[in-house]
Amino acid sequence: MENLDVWELIDKKDMPFTESGVKRTIIESTWAFKVKRTSDRTVKKRKAQLCVCGDQQVKDIDYFETFVPVVSWNMVRTVMILTVTLGLKSHQVDYTNALIQTTLNPSEEVYMALPRKWEQPGKVLKLRKSVYGLAQAPLAWFKYDGYVPLY
């Protein structure tokens, strides 16, 4: 994640205040671990994902807008029926590290505590890109230049 320029390490004392004089929130972070297994239950891959506790964010201070894309199953079935009926091809896309490729809105400054075992006294991470768990992460992904909506 350091190679992707996801954050910047800064001193806690350098954190700015908001226009209303409120100190910015430092959001806790956590690790999510997962073990992928094959059909015979042997370990195929071990994965670790850094997440923030987005429930600690304060609206209008840490973020201004959110977005959650949803689709109804009736729409999915309709599209699949039209695809088969009209003889069209369909494609499924999976973006690797989708959220950490998206830049946060510059007006939304988000500060994250360093994860366990990485702590440095008096230091925090200023996020430049989205991290899993942020309230505004899906919106940043939807607005990402590399994403082309198919509608």
Side-chain angles (χ1 to χ4, degrees), residues 26-129:
I26 299 174
I27 303 166
E28 295 297 318
S29 59
T30 186
W31 287 102
F33 297 101
K34 186 173 185 175
V35 177
K36 293 204 146 201
R37 298 182 182 273
T38 60
S39 58
D40 65 351
R41 306 290 299 151
T42 58
V43 175
K44 179 180 179 182
K45 188 189 298 188
R46 296 178 196 276
K47 296 175 84 174
Q49 185 173 36
L50 182 63
C51 305
V52 297
C53 301
D55 59 323
Q56 297 174 354
Q57 288 183 281
V58 180
K59 184 166 177 34
D60 296 327
I61 293 176
D62 298 316
Y63 68 95
F64 303 110
E65 189 178 10
T66 61
F67 174 77
V68 180
V70 294
V71 66
S72 71
W73 284 111
N74 287 337
M75 181 57 73
V76 172
R77 282 192 294 270
T78 303
V79 169
M80 296 307 289
I81 289 168
L82 287 172
T83 301
V84 171
T85 304
L86 299 174
L88 303 173
K89 293 182 180 179
S90 65
H91 298 278
Q92 186 257 333
V93 178
D94 185 15
Y95 288 91
T96 306
N97 297 324
L99 293 182
I100 62 173
Q101 295 180 25
T102 60
T103 306
L104 289 173
N105 184 343
S107 65
E108 299 177 335
E109 293 184 7
V110 180
Y111 297 89
M112 179 178 85
L114 278 86
R116 255 191 294 169
K117 305 289 184 184
W118 285 11
E119 294 105 339
Q120 295 179 28
K123 300 283 187 181
V124 294
L125 298 173
K126 179 181 178 184
L127 296 179
R128 292 183 177 148
K129 297 192 177 186

Side-chain angles (χ1 to χ4, degrees), residues 65-70 134-143 147 151:
E65 189 178 10
T66 61
F67 174 77
V68 180
V70 294
L134 284 178
Q136 66 269 40
L139 178 65
W141 168 242
F142 189 73
K143 290 182 175 180
Y147 173 67
Y151 60 88

